Amino acid sequence: TSGKLICFDQDRQAIQHAEEILGLDKRVTLINRNFEALEVSLQELNLLPVNGIIFDLGVSSPQLDEAERGFSYMQDAPLDMRMDPSSTLNAREIVNTWSEAALAQLIWQYGEEKWSKRIAQFIVQSRLERPLETTGDLVQSIKAAVPAAVRRSGPHPAKRTFQAIRIAVNDELGVLDRVLDQAMRCLDHGGRIGVITFHSLEDRIVKERMNSWLGRCTCPPELPICRCEAKTIAKILTRKPILPSIEEVEQNPRSRSAKLRVAEKI
């Protein structure tokens, strides 16, 4: 076939792994950049417009499995969580320098954690004794903050806080918000965009942005005529998100929270 596959990843290790698998295929181009550089990169390669774009969001399994990256609350490692190791902000800086109020807001907003204020309080108390250097230090503070009855039921008590800090370190929601309209501009007419999300905050952004492409008027109802000049630029092909099958979840438990939404440029 004559198609081309352009792959983006800001993690150099992911690019190296892809080179081992796909590197000899001349139809494949690997780009070691955040996909926020989608439009400019495709312009530089003279590949616009494209027929399809797929975003697979969130942290990858290799990043979770490599303890030294600091993404996992199940393994003790230095507090890092950077997808791009060359970026300046890391998890250690956030937990040791941000104010209690800022930490509480972060954990509530990005982790949707109802114990956010208490967790932030315990993190600040812990770092007064000594800086939190590892994921184990952070997990210990979180477990101390969450009541025992809550810890015994539901997911790991550190899950939501780790998610929140990881999102902040990598500006994941900001990047997603900035890239979706880029992707629509890059598509040829009839081209499709698919986005795989792994938590409700990502899915909400994707759902709302795709709905904005439907061209529905956003003017206040009291206005006699439309002023927003909304234009329909896409149709949504997934009325509800596509979820993994039972078989897929059994084979890959990490897929259980995945949701796929697809839109087509018109």
Side-chain angles (χ1 to χ4, degrees):
T1 60
S2 59
K4 292 181 181 293
L5 176 64
I6 316 300
C7 306
F8 288 79
D9 206 299
Q10 61 186 325
D11 187 344
R12 182 59 200 161
Q13 285 182 259
I15 293 293
Q16 290 171 340
H17 181 62
E19 285 173 343
E20 294 171 4
I21 300 171
L22 303 168
L24 297 178
D25 193 327
K26 294 182 179 179
R27 297 170 299 175
V28 178
T29 301
L30 303 174
I31 299 177
N32 186 199
R33 299 170 87 172
N34 188 299
F35 59 60
E36 188 177 6
L38 174 72
E39 190 169 21
V40 67
S41 299
L42 293 176
Q43 285 173 339
E44 290 168 356
L45 292 169
N46 197 29
L47 288 175
L48 292 176
V50 297
N51 299 114
I53 297 172
I54 184 79
F55 292 102
D56 184 0
L57 305 179
V59 63
S60 68
S61 287
Q63 288 168 334
L64 283 172
D65 294 336
E66 292 167 4
E68 65 272 12
R69 302 295 295 271
F71 285 102
S72 176
Y73 44 80
M74 303 298 290
Q75 306 178 79
D76 195 24
L79 273 169
D80 193 331
M81 302 195 197
R82 291 174 297 172
M83 293 180 183
D84 177 0
S86 68
S87 62
T88 54
L89 181 64
N90 61 27
R92 183 187 181 280
E93 180 179 341
I94 288 177
V95 300
N96 286 294
T97 67
W98 286 24
S99 70
E100 182 177 325
L103 285 170
Q105 175 63 23
L106 167 66
I107 296 166
W108 168 251
Q109 183 178 355
Y110 289 169
E112 299 179 307
E113 170 61 74
K114 70 176 183 178
W115 299 100
S116 57
K117 290 184 178 179
R118 189 170 161 87
I119 290 170
Q121 179 186 355
F122 274 65
I123 289 173
V124 171
Q125 288 176 351
S126 297
R127 77 191 192 196
L128 288 175
E129 298 176 17
R130 63 180 181 86
L132 279 69
E133 300 285 354
T134 70
T135 53
D137 293 340
L138 179 56
V139 169
Q140 191 173 359
S141 295
I142 296 168
K143 283 185 174 179
V146 176
V150 178
R151 295 201 305 269
R152 285 193 292 268
S153 61
H156 193 286
K159 179 180 179 179
R160 294 178 182 276
T161 299
F162 269 63
Q163 172 185 296
I165 295 172
R166 191 201 78 220
I167 287 173
V169 166
N170 298 287
D171 189 24
E172 293 175 34
L173 299 183
V175 169
L176 176 60
D177 183 57
R178 294 189 292 271
V179 79
L180 290 172
D181 285 338
Q182 275 192 54
M184 186 54 64
R185 290 195 299 270
C186 292
L187 282 177
D188 200 356
H189 295 294
R192 294 181 176 183
I193 174 174
V195 187
I196 304 172
T197 62
F198 288 88
H199 57 77
S200 60
L201 298 172
E202 292 175 337
D203 185 57
R204 192 177 307 147
I205 290 172
V206 175
K207 180 181 179 181
E208 291 176 356
R209 187 58 52 84
M210 286 188 174
N211 282 336
S212 77
W213 296 336
L214 298 178
R216 293 171 181 158
C217 176
T218 57
C219 294
E222 60 269 19
L223 280 183
I225 60 172
C226 175
R227 300 282 188 184
C228 69
E229 298 181 347
K231 293 181 180 179
T232 304
I233 59 172
K235 61 181 178 181
I236 297 174
L237 304 183
T238 48
R239 189 174 63 85
K240 292 184 177 180
I242 299 171
L243 306 179
S245 65
I246 295 173
E247 293 76 18
E248 183 174 358
V249 174
E250 287 176 351
Q251 294 174 7
N252 177 21
R254 287 174 178 164
S255 71
R256 65 184 176 276
S257 58
K259 293 182 177 180
L260 170 63
R261 294 184 185 272
V262 183
E264 181 178 302
K265 188 171 183 176
I266 59 176

